Amino acid sequence: MEQYSAFLQNTSIFSGMSREEIKSILQCLDAKKENYSKGSVILRAGSSTESMGLLLSGKVLVIQEDIWGHRSIMDLISPGDFFGESFAASPGSILNVSVVADSDCQILMLNINRILSVCTAACSHHAKLIRNFVAMLARKALRFNNKISHMSKRSTREKLLSFLSAESTQRGSLCFSIPYDRQQLADYLCVDRAAMSVALSALQKEGLISYHKNRFTLHMDVEENR
């Protein structure tokens, strides 16, 4: 794992740790690196897991799908982010989501039970790990709160404006790129893709937004003059 030392130091869960501390922690957590090709199912709904994944490279989607095939994207995982931690921390719990590789990716699987209990070596940096883990869970909870906020809007138009406004605020700019393609955005907002495309076109004609592919610009002056 030496090749990932610098990368891991910049992840939220290993924040504030030296390379030697991270090396020790990885041994404690029984870390295993795994490779997945695009489209591979990493964790499948209906199964259980004792490990959570840290994405080293690529892109991963957390998907919820009902028995009729209706799909909703719950989260998009980028390098440095985790997935599966809630299920891994609840022994015997059954996943109601699947985790799928959206591109070729490399993942570090970590035994979560060894995070939540003091290791046999009683390493002093384990306390840092637990603090970082709790902070990471809090940030993820905020992310899901944002999704719930978008989903609570009544119309596709309102969901889009809520999502785009939140993305703009998060990036501190009226011009930004989103991580989803059109179908993924529709799945994330739980709306029909065709209806979403109509709503996007209407917003652009009204001068509220302009966009090209996944690049958006919001125009505040139009809304203020209404």
Side-chain angles (χ1 to χ4, degrees), residues 179-224:
Y180 303 111
D181 62 27
R182 285 290 182 273
Q183 185 59 58
Q184 290 172 346
L185 180 58
D187 290 341
Y188 177 76
L189 295 175
C190 291
V191 298
D192 178 74
R193 177 177 176 174
M196 185 188 74
S197 295
V198 170
L200 283 171
S201 295
L203 289 171
Q204 182 159 251
K205 286 178 181 177
E206 293 171 30
L208 287 172
I209 67 171
S210 55
Y211 62 90
H212 177 67
K213 294 184 178 179
N214 69 334
R215 183 72 179 174
F216 286 81
T217 301
L218 308 190
H219 305 291
M220 294 176 60
D221 54 331
V222 176
E223 185 71 14
E224 288 172 355

Short mmCIF file of all heavy atoms in Angstrom, two decimals, residues 179-224:
data_model
loop_
_atom_site.label_atom_id
_atom_site.label_comp_id
_atom_site.label_asym_id
_atom_site.label_seq_id
_atom_site.Cartn_x
_atom_site.Cartn_y
_atom_site.Cartn_z
N PRO A 179 -21.54 15.79 -10.99
CA PRO A 179 -20.90 14.48 -11.22
C PRO A 179 -21.76 13.48 -11.96
O PRO A 179 -21.32 12.37 -12.24
CB PRO A 179 -20.62 14.00 -9.79
CG PRO A 179 -21.71 14.62 -8.97
CD PRO A 179 -21.96 15.97 -9.59
N TYR A 180 -23.01 13.84 -12.31
CA TYR A 180 -23.94 12.91 -12.92
C TYR A 180 -24.16 13.20 -14.40
O TYR A 180 -24.16 14.36 -14.82
CB TYR A 180 -25.31 12.98 -12.23
CG TYR A 180 -25.28 12.72 -10.75
CD1 TYR A 180 -25.53 13.74 -9.83
CD2 TYR A 180 -25.01 11.44 -10.26
CE1 TYR A 180 -25.52 13.50 -8.47
CE2 TYR A 180 -24.99 11.19 -8.90
CZ TYR A 180 -25.25 12.22 -8.00
OH TYR A 180 -25.23 11.98 -6.66
N ASP A 181 -24.40 12.14 -15.19
CA ASP A 181 -24.91 12.34 -16.54
C ASP A 181 -26.43 12.50 -16.43
O ASP A 181 -26.99 12.46 -15.33
CB ASP A 181 -24.50 11.20 -17.48
CG ASP A 181 -25.04 9.83 -17.06
OD1 ASP A 181 -26.10 9.77 -16.39
OD2 ASP A 181 -24.41 8.82 -17.39
N ARG A 182 -27.14 12.67 -17.56
CA ARG A 182 -28.56 12.98 -17.51
C ARG A 182 -29.37 11.86 -16.84
O ARG A 182 -30.24 12.11 -16.01
CB ARG A 182 -29.10 13.23 -18.92
CG ARG A 182 -28.70 14.56 -19.49
CD ARG A 182 -29.41 15.73 -18.79
NE ARG A 182 -29.02 16.99 -19.42
CZ ARG A 182 -27.95 17.68 -19.07
NH1 ARG A 182 -27.18 17.26 -18.08
NH2 ARG A 182 -27.65 18.82 -19.69
N GLN A 183 -29.11 10.61 -17.23
CA GLN A 183 -29.87 9.51 -16.65
C GLN A 183 -29.59 9.37 -15.16
O GLN A 183 -30.49 9.14 -14.36
CB GLN A 183 -29.56 8.19 -17.37
CG GLN A 183 -30.43 7.02 -16.89
CD GLN A 183 -31.92 7.28 -17.09
OE1 GLN A 183 -32.36 7.52 -18.21
NE2 GLN A 183 -32.71 7.22 -16.02
N GLN A 184 -28.34 9.54 -14.78
CA GLN A 184 -27.97 9.44 -13.36
C GLN A 184 -28.61 10.55 -12.55
O GLN A 184 -29.06 10.33 -11.42
CB GLN A 184 -26.45 9.47 -13.21
CG GLN A 184 -25.76 8.22 -13.72
CD GLN A 184 -24.25 8.35 -13.74
OE1 GLN A 184 -23.71 9.46 -13.63
NE2 GLN A 184 -23.56 7.23 -13.89
N LEU A 185 -28.68 11.76 -13.12
CA LEU A 185 -29.32 12.87 -12.41
C LEU A 185 -30.81 12.59 -12.23
O LEU A 185 -31.36 12.84 -11.15
CB LEU A 185 -29.12 14.19 -13.18
CG LEU A 185 -29.75 15.44 -12.55
CD1 LEU A 185 -29.22 15.67 -11.14
CD2 LEU A 185 -29.50 16.67 -13.42
N ALA A 186 -31.44 12.06 -13.26
CA ALA A 186 -32.86 11.70 -13.15
C ALA A 186 -33.06 10.63 -12.08
O ALA A 186 -34.00 10.70 -11.27
CB ALA A 186 -33.39 11.22 -14.49
N ASP A 187 -32.16 9.65 -12.04
CA ASP A 187 -32.26 8.58 -11.04
C ASP A 187 -32.00 9.12 -9.63
O ASP A 187 -32.61 8.67 -8.66
CB ASP A 187 -31.27 7.46 -11.35
CG ASP A 187 -31.65 6.66 -12.60
OD1 ASP A 187 -32.83 6.73 -12.98
OD2 ASP A 187 -30.78 5.98 -13.16
N TYR A 188 -31.09 10.08 -9.53
CA TYR A 188 -30.78 10.67 -8.22
C TYR A 188 -31.97 11.45 -7.69
O TYR A 188 -32.29 11.39 -6.49
CB TYR A 188 -29.55 11.58 -8.34
CG TYR A 188 -29.19 12.28 -7.05
CD1 TYR A 188 -28.55 11.61 -6.01
CD2 TYR A 188 -29.50 13.64 -6.86
CE1 TYR A 188 -28.23 12.26 -4.83
CE2 TYR A 188 -29.19 14.29 -5.69
CZ TYR A 188 -28.54 13.59 -4.67
OH TYR A 188 -28.24 14.24 -3.50
N LEU A 189 -32.63 12.20 -8.56
CA LEU A 189 -33.78 13.02 -8.14
C LEU A 189 -35.10 12.26 -8.19
O LEU A 189 -36.14 12.80 -7.80
CB LEU A 189 -33.88 14.27 -9.03
CG LEU A 189 -32.71 15.26 -8.94
CD1 LEU A 189 -32.88 16.38 -9.96
CD2 LEU A 189 -32.58 15.83 -7.53
N CYS A 190 -35.04 11.00 -8.66
CA CYS A 190 -36.24 10.16 -8.78
C CYS A 190 -37.32 10.82 -9.65
O CYS A 190 -38.48 10.98 -9.23
CB CYS A 190 -36.81 9.81 -7.40
SG CYS A 190 -35.75 8.71 -6.46
N VAL A 191 -36.89 11.25 -10.83
CA VAL A 191 -37.82 11.85 -11.78
C VAL A 191 -37.65 11.16 -13.13
O VAL A 191 -36.64 10.49 -13.38
CB VAL A 191 -37.59 13.37 -11.94
CG1 VAL A 191 -37.84 14.08 -10.63
CG2 VAL A 191 -36.18 13.66 -12.45
N ASP A 192 -38.63 11.33 -14.00
CA ASP A 192 -38.54 10.79 -15.35
C ASP A 192 -37.53 11.60 -16.15
O ASP A 192 -37.54 12.84 -16.11
CB ASP A 192 -39.92 10.86 -16.01
CG ASP A 192 -39.89 10.37 -17.43
OD1 ASP A 192 -39.79 9.15 -17.64
OD2 ASP A 192 -39.96 11.23 -18.34
N ARG A 193 -36.66 10.90 -16.88
CA ARG A 193 -35.61 11.61 -17.62
C ARG A 193 -36.18 12.57 -18.66
O ARG A 193 -35.69 13.69 -18.80
CB ARG A 193 -34.67 10.60 -18.29
CG ARG A 193 -33.59 11.27 -19.14
CD ARG A 193 -32.62 10.27 -19.73
NE ARG A 193 -31.66 10.93 -20.60
CZ ARG A 193 -30.62 10.33 -21.16
NH1 ARG A 193 -30.41 9.05 -20.94
NH2 ARG A 193 -29.79 11.00 -21.94
N ALA A 194 -37.20 12.13 -19.40
CA ALA A 194 -37.79 12.99 -20.43
C ALA A 194 -38.40 14.25 -19.80
O ALA A 194 -38.21 15.36 -20.30
CB ALA A 194 -38.84 12.23 -21.22
N ALA A 195 -39.10 14.06 -18.68
CA ALA A 195 -39.71 15.20 -17.99
C ALA A 195 -38.62 16.13 -17.46
O ALA A 195 -38.78 17.37 -17.49
CB ALA A 195 -40.59 14.71 -16.85
N MET A 196 -37.53 15.57 -17.01
CA MET A 196 -36.43 16.39 -16.50
C MET A 196 -35.80 17.20 -17.63
O MET A 196 -35.46 18.38 -17.46
CB MET A 196 -35.37 15.50 -15.84
CG MET A 196 -34.25 16.29 -15.18
SD MET A 196 -32.89 15.22 -14.59
CE MET A 196 -32.12 14.80 -16.17
N SER A 197 -35.64 16.58 -18.80
CA SER A 197 -35.07 17.29 -19.95
C SER A 197 -35.95 18.46 -20.35
O SER A 197 -35.45 19.55 -20.68
CB SER A 197 -34.90 16.33 -21.13
OG SER A 197 -33.94 15.34 -20.83
N VAL A 198 -37.27 18.27 -20.30
CA VAL A 198 -38.21 19.34 -20.61
C VAL A 198 -38.07 20.48 -19.60
O VAL A 198 -38.05 21.66 -19.96
CB VAL A 198 -39.66 18.81 -20.62
CG1 VAL A 198 -40.67 19.97 -20.70
CG2 VAL A 198 -39.87 17.85 -21.78
N ALA A 199 -37.96 20.12 -18.32
CA ALA A 199 -37.83 21.13 -17.27
C ALA A 199 -36.52 21.90 -17.40
O ALA A 199 -36.48 23.13 -17.22
CB ALA A 199 -37.91 20.46 -15.90
N LEU A 200 -35.44 21.21 -17.74
CA LEU A 200 -34.15 21.88 -17.94
C LEU A 200 -34.22 22.87 -19.11
O LEU A 200 -33.72 23.99 -19.01
CB LEU A 200 -33.04 20.84 -18.20
CG LEU A 200 -32.52 20.08 -16.98
CD1 LEU A 200 -31.59 18.95 -17.43
CD2 LEU A 200 -31.77 21.01 -16.02
N SER A 201 -34.83 22.43 -20.19
CA SER A 201 -34.97 23.32 -21.36
C SER A 201 -35.79 24.56 -21.02
O SER A 201 -35.46 25.68 -21.42
CB SER A 201 -35.63 22.56 -22.51
OG SER A 201 -34.80 21.52 -22.96
N ALA A 202 -36.86 24.37 -20.23
CA ALA A 202 -37.71 25.49 -19.83
C ALA A 202 -36.94 26.47 -18.95
O ALA A 202 -37.04 27.70 -19.12
CB ALA A 202 -38.94 24.97 -19.09
N LEU A 203 -36.14 25.95 -18.02
CA LEU A 203 -35.35 26.80 -17.14
C LEU A 203 -34.32 27.60 -17.93
O LEU A 203 -34.04 28.76 -17.61
CB LEU A 203 -34.66 25.95 -16.07
CG LEU A 203 -35.56 25.34 -14.99
CD1 LEU A 203 -34.79 24.34 -14.14
CD2 LEU A 203 -36.15 26.44 -14.11
N GLN A 204 -33.76 26.97 -18.97
CA GLN A 204 -32.78 27.67 -19.80
C GLN A 204 -33.46 28.75 -20.64
O GLN A 204 -32.93 29.87 -20.78
CB GLN A 204 -32.04 26.68 -20.70
CG GLN A 204 -30.96 27.32 -21.55
CD GLN A 204 -29.93 26.33 -22.04
OE1 GLN A 204 -28.79 26.31 -21.60
NE2 GLN A 204 -30.34 25.48 -22.97
N LYS A 205 -34.64 28.46 -21.19
CA LYS A 205 -35.37 29.45 -21.99
C LYS A 205 -35.78 30.65 -21.14
O LYS A 205 -35.82 31.79 -21.62
CB LYS A 205 -36.61 28.81 -22.61
CG LYS A 205 -36.30 27.86 -23.76
CD LYS A 205 -37.56 27.21 -24.31
CE LYS A 205 -37.25 26.25 -25.45
NZ LYS A 205 -38.46 25.56 -25.95
N GLU A 206 -36.08 30.39 -19.87
CA GLU A 206 -36.46 31.47 -18.95
C GLU A 206 -35.25 32.28 -18.50
O GLU A 206 -35.39 33.33 -17.87
CB GLU A 206 -37.15 30.89 -17.72
CG GLU A 206 -38.50 30.26 -18.02
CD GLU A 206 -39.05 29.50 -16.82
OE1 GLU A 206 -38.74 29.90 -15.68
OE2 GLU A 206 -39.79 28.53 -17.01
N GLY A 207 -34.05 31.81 -18.82
CA GLY A 207 -32.84 32.53 -18.45
C GLY A 207 -32.37 32.28 -17.03
O GLY A 207 -31.45 32.95 -16.55
N LEU A 208 -32.98 31.29 -16.36
CA LEU A 208 -32.56 30.98 -14.98
C LEU A 208 -31.25 30.22 -14.95
O LEU A 208 -30.45 30.37 -14.02
CB LEU A 208 -33.65 30.17 -14.27
CG LEU A 208 -34.90 30.93 -13.88
CD1 LEU A 208 -35.96 29.96 -13.36
CD2 LEU A 208 -34.59 31.98 -12.82
N ILE A 209 -31.03 29.38 -15.96
CA ILE A 209 -29.81 28.60 -16.03
C ILE A 209 -29.35 28.52 -17.48
O ILE A 209 -30.12 28.77 -18.42
CB ILE A 209 -30.00 27.16 -15.50
CG1 ILE A 209 -30.94 26.35 -16.43
CG2 ILE A 209 -30.53 27.15 -14.07
CD1 ILE A 209 -31.02 24.87 -16.10
N SER A 210 -28.09 28.16 -17.66
CA SER A 210 -27.59 27.74 -18.97
C SER A 210 -26.71 26.53 -18.70
O SER A 210 -26.14 26.39 -17.61
CB SER A 210 -26.78 28.86 -19.65
OG SER A 210 -25.74 29.31 -18.82
N TYR A 211 -26.64 25.64 -19.66
CA TYR A 211 -25.88 24.40 -19.42
C TYR A 211 -25.41 23.79 -20.73
O TYR A 211 -25.98 24.02 -21.80
CB TYR A 211 -26.74 23.39 -18.65
CG TYR A 211 -27.99 22.94 -19.37
CD1 TYR A 211 -27.99 21.84 -20.21
CD2 TYR A 211 -29.20 23.63 -19.20
CE1 TYR A 211 -29.14 21.44 -20.87
CE2 TYR A 211 -30.35 23.23 -19.85
CZ TYR A 211 -30.32 22.13 -20.68
OH TYR A 211 -31.46 21.73 -21.34
N HIS A 212 -24.36 23.02 -20.62
CA HIS A 212 -23.86 22.19 -21.71
C HIS A 212 -23.36 20.90 -21.09
O HIS A 212 -22.44 20.91 -20.26
CB HIS A 212 -22.72 22.90 -22.46
CG HIS A 212 -22.12 22.04 -23.54
ND1 HIS A 212 -22.82 21.69 -24.68
CD2 HIS A 212 -20.89 21.45 -23.64
CE1 HIS A 212 -22.04 20.93 -25.45
NE2 HIS A 212 -20.87 20.77 -24.85
N LYS A 213 -24.02 19.79 -21.46
CA LYS A 213 -23.71 18.50 -20.86
C LYS A 213 -23.87 18.60 -19.35
O LYS A 213 -24.94 18.89 -18.85
CB LYS A 213 -22.33 18.01 -21.30
CG LYS A 213 -22.26 17.71 -22.80
CD LYS A 213 -20.92 17.14 -23.20
CE LYS A 213 -20.92 16.81 -24.69
NZ LYS A 213 -19.62 16.25 -25.13
N ASN A 214 -22.79 18.38 -18.58
CA ASN A 214 -22.94 18.42 -17.11
C ASN A 214 -22.38 19.71 -16.51
O ASN A 214 -22.14 19.79 -15.30
CB ASN A 214 -22.24 17.21 -16.47
CG ASN A 214 -20.73 17.26 -16.59
OD1 ASN A 214 -20.20 17.88 -17.51
ND2 ASN A 214 -20.03 16.61 -15.67
N ARG A 215 -22.19 20.74 -17.34
CA ARG A 215 -21.68 22.04 -16.90
C ARG A 215 -22.84 23.02 -16.81
O ARG A 215 -23.56 23.22 -17.81
CB ARG A 215 -20.61 22.55 -17.86
CG ARG A 215 -19.97 23.88 -17.45
CD ARG A 215 -19.05 23.70 -16.28
NE ARG A 215 -18.41 24.97 -15.91
CZ ARG A 215 -17.64 25.10 -14.83
NH1 ARG A 215 -17.41 24.06 -14.05
NH2 ARG A 215 -17.11 26.26 -14.54
N PHE A 216 -23.05 23.63 -15.64
CA PHE A 216 -24.19 24.51 -15.43
C PHE A 216 -23.72 25.90 -14.98
O PHE A 216 -22.72 26.05 -14.29
CB PHE A 216 -25.11 23.94 -14.35
CG PHE A 216 -25.93 22.77 -14.81
CD1 PHE A 216 -25.37 21.50 -14.85
CD2 PHE A 216 -27.25 22.94 -15.22
CE1 PHE A 216 -26.12 20.41 -15.29
CE2 PHE A 216 -28.00 21.87 -15.64
CZ PHE A 216 -27.43 20.59 -15.69
N THR A 217 -24.51 26.91 -15.37
CA THR A 217 -24.34 28.28 -14.88
C THR A 217 -25.70 28.77 -14.42
O THR A 217 -26.69 28.66 -15.16
CB THR A 217 -23.79 29.21 -15.97
OG1 THR A 217 -22.52 28.73 -16.42
CG2 THR A 217 -23.62 30.62 -15.41
N LEU A 218 -25.76 29.30 -13.20
CA LEU A 218 -27.01 29.84 -12.67
C LEU A 218 -27.01 31.35 -12.84
O LEU A 218 -25.98 32.01 -12.65
CB LEU A 218 -27.15 29.49 -11.19
CG LEU A 218 -26.98 28.01 -10.80
CD1 LEU A 218 -27.38 27.79 -9.34
CD2 LEU A 218 -27.78 27.10 -11.72
N HIS A 219 -28.17 31.92 -13.19
CA HIS A 219 -28.29 33.35 -13.43
C HIS A 219 -29.24 33.95 -12.41
O HIS A 219 -30.46 33.86 -12.55
CB HIS A 219 -28.79 33.60 -14.86
CG HIS A 219 -27.95 32.95 -15.92
ND1 HIS A 219 -26.66 33.35 -16.20
CD2 HIS A 219 -28.21 31.89 -16.73
CE1 HIS A 219 -26.16 32.58 -17.17
NE2 HIS A 219 -27.07 31.69 -17.50
N MET A 220 -28.67 34.56 -11.39
CA MET A 220 -29.46 35.09 -10.29
C MET A 220 -30.24 36.34 -10.67
O MET A 220 -31.33 36.59 -10.17
CB MET A 220 -28.55 35.41 -9.08
CG MET A 220 -27.91 34.19 -8.46
SD MET A 220 -26.78 34.65 -7.12
CE MET A 220 -27.88 35.48 -6.00
N ASP A 221 -29.67 37.17 -11.55
CA ASP A 221 -30.28 38.45 -11.87
C ASP A 221 -31.67 38.29 -12.49
O ASP A 221 -32.55 39.12 -12.29
CB ASP A 221 -29.38 39.28 -12.81
CG ASP A 221 -29.01 38.50 -14.06
OD1 ASP A 221 -28.95 37.25 -14.00
OD2 ASP A 221 -28.75 39.14 -15.10
N VAL A 222 -31.88 37.20 -13.23
CA VAL A 222 -33.19 36.98 -13.84
C VAL A 222 -34.24 36.77 -12.79
O VAL A 222 -35.32 37.35 -12.83
CB VAL A 222 -33.13 35.74 -14.78
CG1 VAL A 222 -34.51 35.44 -15.34
CG2 VAL A 222 -32.14 35.97 -15.91
N GLU A 223 -33.91 35.95 -11.77
CA GLU A 223 -34.87 35.66 -10.71
C GLU A 223 -35.13 36.91 -9.88
O GLU A 223 -36.25 37.17 -9.45
CB GLU A 223 -34.30 34.55 -9.82
CG GLU A 223 -35.24 34.05 -8.73
CD GLU A 223 -36.41 33.24 -9.32
OE1 GLU A 223 -36.36 32.86 -10.50
OE2 GLU A 223 -37.38 33.05 -8.59
N GLU A 224 -34.09 37.74 -9.67
CA GLU A 224 -34.25 38.93 -8.84
C GLU A 224 -35.16 39.97 -9.52
O GLU A 224 -35.85 40.74 -8.86
CB GLU A 224 -32.88 39.54 -8.58
CG GLU A 224 -32.03 38.71 -7.60
CD GLU A 224 -30.62 39.23 -7.50
OE1 GLU A 224 -30.26 40.17 -8.27
OE2 GLU A 224 -29.85 38.71 -6.67
#
